[in-house]
Amino acid sequence: DGGITQSPKYLFRKEGQNVTLSCEQNLNHDAMYWYRQDPGQGLRLIYYSQIVNDFQKGDIAEGYSVSREKKESFPLTVTSAQKNPTAFYLCASSIQGGYGYTFGSGTRLTVV
Amino acid sequence: KNEVEQSPQNLTAQEGEFITINCSYSVGISALHWLQQHPGGGIVSLFMLSSGKKKHGRLIATINIQEKHSSLHITASHPRDSAVYICAVSSDGGSQGNLIFGKGTKLSVKP
């Protein structure tokens, strides 16, 4: 079955370390997105990519980086520059125009 | 002020009740999405609509573009409907895939 796979489900990181969250989709979707969810807040866009080898910053890109070398993969790196990285991270994909929007199951990152 | 507002924030219902969740938005949109988030965190897309009404099983979504308002209705609610329901819009000023999210409505259906 087609879908989005995020791994790992839970991740612990020491302060000052970079960490990479994986997102893979087999839906043949062109567009992929990374969102951050904090308690009591709506999801906020970190980065998005509409095509391979191209991506744009979202509303809260500072302290994060991404790559899109393959259509299926859109990994997110949380760098040590991100001041408050503890959050729930969701990856999503869609075809152009926002149709077929599909979310992954999320990664909960905790900085210790 | 948030661009997407949902009400109520929390909702408790008895099994079998008819439920309505409301969403108001302040931006021009190309589409509105209703999403369901279960306690584990995964999100499922329920509806994407740009006009009128859509129905899927016991779920009905309506949108009034002139009034910038949408409702999600659940008929004959069941405890398995307990989840957070999220309204999100695609702004017509930006990339259609980039969504602006409401904060969600937490629904609890008691048996």
Side-chain angles (χ1 to χ4, degrees):
Chain A
D1 282 340
I4 294 183
T5 301
Q6 284 189 246
S7 60
K9 193 170 178 64
Y10 298 95
L11 189 56
F12 295 87
R13 172 199 118 174
K14 289 186 179 179
E15 205 168 322
Q17 289 180 337
N18 292 356
V19 63
T20 298
L21 281 58
S22 170
C23 177
E24 304 277 333
Q25 55 100 356
N26 60 2
L27 298 163
N28 201 32
H29 285 176
D30 290 310
M32 296 188 74
Y33 316 85
W34 273 105
Y35 292 97
R36 171 181 171 139
Q37 187 176 39
D38 294 284
Q41 295 196 37
L43 278 75
R44 293 180 291 169
L45 181 66
I46 304 172
Y47 269 97
Y48 66 100
S49 168
Q50 295 184 312
I51 196 168
V52 175
N53 292 323
D54 188 45
F55 48 83
Q56 279 77 42
K57 293 181 179 180
D59 300 319
I60 55 166
E62 185 176 347
Y64 301 98
S65 66
V66 294
S67 63
R68 186 87 187 275
E69 296 176 2
K70 298 186 300 182
K71 188 175 185 177
E72 303 79 21
S73 180
F74 191 42
L76 173 75
T77 297
V78 185
T79 75
S80 55
Q82 168 49 234
K83 290 182 172 49
N84 186 20
T86 294
F88 187 61
Y89 292 88
L90 280 155
C91 179
S93 71
S94 74
I95 61 177
Q96 293 300 340
Y99 295 94
Y101 225 96
T102 304
F103 284 86
S105 56
T107 293
R108 191 166 298 279
L109 173 65
T110 303
V111 175
V112 296
Chain B
K1 187 180 186 302
N2 293 326
E3 292 168 304
V4 180
E5 297 273 6
Q6 288 185 237
S7 64
Q9 193 172 352
N10 292 283
L11 181 56
T12 300
Q14 287 298 126
E15 183 172 357
E17 285 185 0
F18 181 84
I19 289 163
T20 296
I21 299 170
N22 295 300
C23 175
S24 297
Y25 52 90
S26 58
V27 296
I29 70 167
S30 55
L32 182 141
H33 299 251
W34 280 104
L35 310 168
Q36 181 189 56
Q37 185 171 30
H38 283 282
I43 293 179
V44 174
S45 178
L46 299 174
F47 295 104
M48 176 180 174
L49 64 165
S50 54
S51 66
K53 175 180 174 178
K54 286 191 176 180
K55 183 176 191 291
H56 181 69
R58 295 180 294 105
L59 302 178
I60 303 166
T62 64
I63 187 168
N64 184 319
I65 296 294
Q66 286 72 33
E67 303 211 346
K68 295 189 173 180
H69 181 269
S70 175
S71 293
L72 177 69
H73 306 286
I74 305 175
T75 62
S77 60
H78 190 276
R80 66 174 175 265
D81 296 325
S82 298
V84 175
Y85 292 85
I86 301 171
C87 173
V89 301
S90 300
S91 168
D92 61 9
S95 169
Q96 288 182 328
N98 297 352
L99 303 183
I100 305 169
F101 294 82
K103 294 183 179 181
T105 295
K106 186 173 182 180
L107 172 65
S108 178
V109 182
K110 306 292 186 188

